[in-house]
């Protein structure tokens, strides 16, 4: 019998440091709904095989040791398809099930790499990723949501991450951020607080 068709394809996205083998960013995914007939707490195909931090760290350490010597971009490790790229002093990983389409995983990895290059202006290293952790996390969330690959175009991802939502632009334009505008806001706040205090007494 063929396995059920599902959009869920990514088990984890990892960014690890090659210098000290430390975790910079890790997101592990489980399918939002287990297959019907699965007992609560039971393991099933696609379930997160690394539910706790100790298992995750062990997997990441072994994965980094194995991929640091590889010349290819894909390996089968711990019964998982792993695609990876090295950028400066970090390794980017996308992990999927053993029966997952490698080309799909590789496209998600390339989208992540190229999006980070655009967002971080070509400086994809450990220090820059940590300083721009919010952008990196948002980029991953734009590419992969709960293990489902949503977008693989790096230009689209970087424009969504770096641009404020359209409904907020109008309210941002009306804010006076000059020194006089900030002083006016301060005086207005002081006046309102004084009124509240007088009303309360």
């Amino acid at each position: 019998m063929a396995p059920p068709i599902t959009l869920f394809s990514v088990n984890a996205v990892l960014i690890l440091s090659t210098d000290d083998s430390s975790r910079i960013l890790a997101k592990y995914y489980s399918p939002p709904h287990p297959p019907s007939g699965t007992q609560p707490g039971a393991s099933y195909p696609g379930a997160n095989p690394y539910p706790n931090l100790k298992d995750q760290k062990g997997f990441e350490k072994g994965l980094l040791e194995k991929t640091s010597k590889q010349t290819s971009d894909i390996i089968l490790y711990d019964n998982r398809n792993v695609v990876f790229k090295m950028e400066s002093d970090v390794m980017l990983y996308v992990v999927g099930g053993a029966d997952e389409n490698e080309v799909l995983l590789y496209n998600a990895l390339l989208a992540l790499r190229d999006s980070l290059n655009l967002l971080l202006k070509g400086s994809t290293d450990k220090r820059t990723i940590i300083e721009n952790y919010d952008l990196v996390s948002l980029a991953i969330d734009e590419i992969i949501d709960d293990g489902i690959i949503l977008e693989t175009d790096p230009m689209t991802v970087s424009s969504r991450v770096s641009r404020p939502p359209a409904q907020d632009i109008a309210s941002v334009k009306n804010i006076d951020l000059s020194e006089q505008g900030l002083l006016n806001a301060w005086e207005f706040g002081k006046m309102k607080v004084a009124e509240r205090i007088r009303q309360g007494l």
Side-chain angles (χ1 to χ4, degrees):
M1 185 170 124
I5 296 175
T6 178
L7 293 174
F8 182 82
S9 54
V10 177
N11 291 116
V13 175
L14 308 169
I15 301 177
L16 304 177
S17 170
T18 56
D19 293 340
D20 53 359
S21 303
S22 65
R23 171 195 282 195
I24 299 172
L25 186 144
K27 290 191 177 205
Y28 287 86
Y29 305 104
S30 289
H33 306 288
S36 59
T38 304
Q39 299 296 326
S43 180
Y44 53 89
N48 183 1
Y50 315 106
N52 58 39
L53 185 62
K54 182 180 176 190
D55 294 340
Q56 292 173 3
K57 292 278 192 176
F59 172 73
E60 292 164 11
K61 183 177 183 224
L63 183 62
L64 193 60
E65 288 173 0
K66 177 115 179 175
T67 56
S68 63
K69 300 175 249 181
Q70 294 289 326
T71 56
S72 64
D73 291 342
I74 181 169
I75 62 168
L76 185 67
Y77 178 75
D78 199 19
N79 203 26
R80 302 264 168 233
N81 277 332
V82 180
V83 292
F84 60 95
K85 283 279 186 193
M86 184 166 184
E87 287 289 316
S88 186
D89 60 348
V90 296
M91 291 286 272
L92 308 172
Y93 297 95
V94 175
V95 181
D99 57 347
E100 195 53 59
N101 185 342
E102 298 89 358
V103 175
L104 180 69
L105 296 175
Y106 194 68
N107 280 336
L109 177 68
L110 292 179
L112 174 61
R113 182 198 65 183
D114 295 342
S115 299
L116 293 181
N117 279 331
L118 288 170
L119 289 168
L120 305 177
K121 297 174 180 50
S123 176
T124 310
D125 58 22
K126 180 179 178 179
R127 187 177 67 83
T128 310
I129 288 174
I130 291 172
E131 288 173 356
N132 297 287
Y133 196 85
D134 55 343
L135 290 177
V136 174
S137 184
L138 283 172
I140 291 173
D141 289 342
E142 284 292 328
I143 297 169
I144 300 166
D145 184 34
D146 283 339
I148 299 170
I149 298 173
L150 299 177
E151 183 65 62
T152 58
D153 180 29
M155 291 298 290
T156 305
V157 171
S158 62
S159 70
R160 286 181 187 164
V161 169
S162 61
R163 184 176 60 207
Q167 68 267 20
D168 293 343
I169 291 175
S171 62
V172 171
K173 286 182 181 175
N174 297 332
I175 297 175
D176 182 14
L177 294 177
S178 67
E179 186 175 346
Q180 185 60 44
L182 293 174
L183 287 173
N184 290 343
W186 173 254
E187 290 301 322
F188 180 76
K190 276 188 358 184
M191 182 180 71
K192 288 295 183 184
V193 169
E195 283 178 17
R196 293 285 172 124
I197 290 174
R198 275 188 242 127
Q199 289 173 357
L201 295 177

